[in-house]
Amino acid sequence: FNPYRLGEDKRRIATYASNYGYFDVEVSEPNVREKGEKVAIDWRVALGPQYRIGRLQLIGVPDEARDAVMDAIPFRKGSVPAVNEHRILRHILADTVRWYGYGHARVYSRAWVDRKKKSVAWYYFVDPGPKTTIASIAVEGNARVTSDAIIERSGLIVGGAYGPRERDRAQLALM
């Protein structure tokens, strides 16, 4: 038991509750009871109202990927926020944009809490970067099959689009 950690624990409890939309949570001072070498700690927690997603916005997503990116978002306006899950989702959204040929796509997540309206505005900022193309193709380690035959079989061409879709298709073609 460390009495100085009680303040940290109080903040941890409040943070945990806010991850599930309880942004007005009130954590009282703990009731600490020492029983010999054991300590019992009681916390009183008033969660308050659970906030909802009031706005969901995608900014910067290429038009061709917009529907797929929206489909990858498991929540909508009116949903209860799951803050940690919504933040991590940005990686899945970036992968979704990459499938459309934007090999360097990045997605950033920001949330603004409106305490008056008891709502959260959730924004995903998409930086697709440029379309990715194949600059050159090199084959190494081949002994029985010519490099030209391997490149032809892969379906990849210099100057052609490149992304996860083309990568997977080439790998399957070469198997």
Side-chain angles (χ1 to χ4, degrees):
F1 171 69
N2 182 337
Y4 301 105
R5 292 270 172 103
L6 292 175
E8 290 177 5
D9 291 343
K10 182 177 180 178
R11 287 188 299 279
R12 282 189 188 105
I13 292 167
T15 299
Y16 180 81
S18 70
N19 283 330
Y20 297 97
Y22 296 102
F23 295 100
D24 295 332
V25 65
E26 292 181 17
V27 181
S28 67
E29 292 302 316
N31 178 19
V32 180
R33 297 181 316 280
E34 296 185 43
K35 298 178 183 179
E37 291 186 18
K38 295 183 178 184
V39 175
I41 302 172
D42 294 325
W43 296 93
R44 298 259 180 231
V45 179
L47 292 175
Q50 193 172 34
Y51 286 41
R52 300 286 178 170
I53 299 293
R55 181 176 193 161
L56 172 60
Q57 184 101 20
L58 280 172
I59 297 172
V61 66
D63 289 338
E64 62 198 285
R66 181 170 289 282
D67 290 342
V69 171
M70 279 304 287
D71 290 345
I73 299 173
F75 64 94
R76 294 290 181 259
K77 184 177 176 179
S79 299
V80 171
V83 175
N84 289 335
E85 290 86 352
H86 296 352
R87 284 185 180 140
I88 292 170
L89 181 64
R90 66 190 167 82
H91 299 295
I92 293 169
L93 301 182
D95 284 343
T96 303
V97 174
R98 289 182 193 123
W99 274 95
Y100 289 85
Y102 297 90
H104 301 284
R106 299 280 185 261
V107 176
Y108 306 93
S109 166
R110 296 293 179 267
W112 283 272
V113 176
D114 185 335
R115 294 193 183 276
K116 265 187 181 175
K117 294 181 181 178
K118 308 295 184 207
S119 69
V120 179
W122 205 281
Y123 288 78
Y124 286 107
F125 297 95
V126 179
D127 177 6
K131 282 270 197 172
T132 308
T133 58
I134 299 170
S136 63
I137 302 172
V139 178
E140 296 177 3
N142 51 315
R144 295 184 189 164
V145 181
T146 67
S147 295
D148 289 341
I150 292 171
I151 292 170
E152 183 180 335
R153 181 70 182 249
S154 75
L156 300 174
I157 57 170
V158 173
Y162 184 77
R165 184 184 334 245
E166 290 76 21
R167 178 202 61 215
D168 292 352
R169 189 178 62 234
Q171 286 176 347
L172 287 173
L174 292 171
M175 288 184 179

